[in-house]
Amino acid sequence: ARKWHAVLSKKHGLSEFGVVIADSHSLPMRWGVLDISIGFWGFNPLKDYRGTEDLFGYVLRVSQNNIPDAMAAAAGGIMGQGTEQTPAVLIRGWPGIEFNADQNYQEKFLIAPEDDLFNVLLDVFKEKGVSSKK
């Protein structure tokens, strides 16, 4: 994503834009696939709602919007999973995005296993020796 950002910036003279590289994956207990980001560059990946109020006046304590995965899911629905041959999607006007190609946001975006809400489930799978073999 960083290399594509540099190429597009140089070739087209762009400055405020981002690149998201996506791939399909599945969710537990759901049929079908959707896309998630496997790389991004050029923008802050999180819109932080912590400390703001929701519709009912409650102060949000953990809510952050994951922009790269939301974009990947939206674009994946347009690109398709079969023979559509749509290799890229241009998204404009995404609300609240902060562009900065000089900042590496990877550490801010990725979460440590001990802070991950799903870590408890992973521990259960490890303990029980769950296998993908039928």
Side-chain angles (χ1 to χ4, degrees), residues 23-70:
D23 198 1
S24 57
H25 82 125
S26 59
L27 293 172
M29 309 295 292
R30 302 275 176 102
W31 287 111
V33 297
L34 74 151
D35 283 34
I36 62 167
S37 66
I38 58 172
F40 68 91
W41 195 263
F43 61 96
N44 184 344
L46 300 170
K47 182 174 181 182
D48 196 349
Y49 288 94
R50 293 174 295 179
T52 66
E53 291 183 355
D54 69 6
L55 293 173
F56 305 102
Y58 295 104
V59 176
L60 299 169
R61 294 185 295 169
V62 294
S63 295
Q64 297 182 75
N65 189 9
N66 176 330
I67 298 170
D69 287 332

Side-chain angles (χ1 to χ4, degrees), residues 60-134:
L60 299 169
R61 294 185 295 169
V62 294
S63 295
Q64 297 182 75
N65 189 9
N66 176 330
I67 298 170
D69 287 332
M71 288 181 167
I78 294 168
M79 292 187 298
Q81 299 292 328
T83 61
E84 292 89 347
Q85 298 182 6
T86 305
V89 172
L90 176 63
I91 299 173
R92 291 186 175 153
W94 196 276
I97 196 162
E98 301 170 24
F99 296 106
N100 185 347
D102 296 326
Q103 175 71 40
N104 184 344
Y105 291 103
Q106 302 303 314
E107 285 185 25
K108 180 179 179 180
F109 185 64
L110 300 174
I111 189 167
E114 59 272 10
D115 295 329
D116 192 335
L117 294 172
F118 296 102
N119 196 32
V120 173
L121 295 174
L122 297 175
D123 287 343
V124 170
F125 286 129
K126 289 175 193 171
E127 289 171 14
K128 296 196 181 263
V130 174
S131 172
S132 62
K133 297 177 184 177
K134 291 188 176 188

